[in-house]
Structure formats: structure tokens, C-alpha cells
Amino acid sequence: FSIYKLTYVWGAKANLGRAFWGIGEERLVMEEANGKNRYHHNPSLTPYARKNRNHPTPAEKFLWRRLLRASKMQGYPFCRQKPVLEYIVDFACTYLMLVIEVDGGYHNHPMVAAMDRIRQDRLEEVGFTVLRFKNEDVLEDIEGVKSSIEAWIAGFEAEHGPKKPPARGKRKRGV
């Protein structure tokens, strides 16, 4: 995996430091996600993200319609199926550096859970926070999910101050 390839695929310059990931595995450390590196947007995954947006799971569709669509979550805009690094995350808000994942039953399998942990570590390494909810929680306790997200936002705002986006229509697309 060359530095050039990393820069080209992820659209960001890699920090040339090194980190150890797992037993005996060494890889480049990525710089923190920000507007200059487009939050590590991966354009090569856009067709797959579009396909996922057009065919959401019932839980993703429910969460989007009830809480996240049209800046319903305290005025913060969320994107669905956003390509970040080498992943497509279910929901992301770059103002909050927050990723929300909705996990189906197959995420209980040990192999999938290990892959989810690696994915979450990579996203956290570049500055995102990942909140995970099970399909059942979204479909059966949407108010509990809403409370969890709102509590996380309140903690974020207490630490960093509100980072409200500009009024709708004045916001840059893709941020």
C-alpha cells in the first residue's frame, strides 16, 4: 500500500508517522478528518453508497425519517451512507464529527464484531465518534435512541460549544 495510493484513494495527505494495528501489523497513521481533506471522503465508494441509500434497511429508513432527516436532530445535518476512508457509514454529521451505525443481527457474529471494532477504531483514529444502535433498538425504542443521540450532542456542545451549521440554503453542499 503506497503513500501515493493512500493519498489518491482517500483524497487526503497521509501523516507519515506509523502505528501498529493488531499483532505485527504496521500501517500509516491518517491525519484527523477536517474540511481541508473532505473528512476523508472516498469518491470511489460513491456508487455503492448511492445503491445503499436507494435500498435502506427498515431500521435505517425509520431512523432517517424519524430523527435525522432535514436537520431534525437539533438542527444538525446528517448524511446517509457516507463514504469515509474505506467504509460506507450509515449516517454521518461532519459538524459533530459523529457517525451513527445501525447494526443488524449478523453483527453479533464474532468475525463481524471484530471487523466492526477495526472499522470503529479507524474512524475514531481520524476524529469521528461512532454511536452504534441495534436494529431492534431503533425499531422498538426510537425515543431511547433519540435520547442517547441528544445526550451525546449535549456533551459535545458542553465541551466544544455549539457548532450549528449556517441556515439552510447558505450551507456548502457536501460539508
Side-chain angles (χ1 to χ4, degrees):
F1 215 89
S2 71
I3 293 172
Y4 171 77
K5 197 171 195 180
L6 185 72
T7 302
Y8 175 74
V9 171
W10 288 335
K13 292 180 182 173
N15 177 346
L16 296 181
R18 300 214 176 259
F20 290 93
W21 195 259
I23 299 172
E25 186 178 336
E26 185 180 347
R27 63 178 182 73
L28 293 171
V29 177
M30 293 294 294
E31 68 180 323
E32 191 158 313
N34 56 52
K36 290 181 183 175
N37 61 30
R38 297 192 64 218
Y39 301 95
H40 293 295
H41 175 75
N42 186 342
S44 66
L45 294 178
T46 300
Y48 304 103
R50 186 173 295 119
K51 184 178 177 184
N52 288 352
R53 275 194 300 275
N54 290 333
H55 303 286
T57 67
E60 289 171 352
K61 191 175 194 176
F62 190 65
L63 181 61
W64 177 248
R65 288 187 173 172
R66 290 290 301 272
L67 300 182
L68 302 178
R69 179 177 171 178
S71 300
K72 287 182 186 178
M73 184 50 69
Q74 299 183 7
Y76 289 103
F78 280 81
C79 298
R80 295 182 298 153
Q81 303 300 326
K82 183 163 181 65
V84 179
L85 298 174
E86 62 269 22
Y87 309 108
I88 299 173
V89 300
D90 291 340
F91 303 99
C93 177
T94 55
Y95 289 95
L96 298 170
M97 294 300 293
L98 177 63
V99 167
I100 298 175
E101 289 288 322
V102 180
D103 295 338
Y106 62 91
H107 288 269
N108 296 331
H109 188 276
M111 177 88 70
V112 176
M115 290 171 59
D116 283 345
R117 185 71 228 160
I118 291 169
R119 171 187 173 116
Q120 183 165 335
D121 288 347
R122 291 278 291 128
L123 291 166
E124 289 173 350
E125 179 184 312
V126 296
F128 287 96
T129 298
V130 179
L131 297 181
R132 291 187 171 281
F133 298 100
K134 294 181 179 179
N135 279 350
E136 299 81 28
D137 294 337
V138 171
L139 295 171
E140 297 169 10
D141 185 21
I142 193 68
E143 289 304 316
V145 170
K146 180 180 180 182
S147 297
S148 296
I149 298 170
E150 288 175 338
W152 186 90
I153 292 173
F156 177 88
E157 289 181 340
E159 186 176 333
H160 302 285
K163 293 196 173 189
K164 297 289 184 189
R168 243 176 123 70
K170 299 182 187 219
R171 186 172 67 227
K172 289 182 185 176
R173 185 145 174 81
V175 176

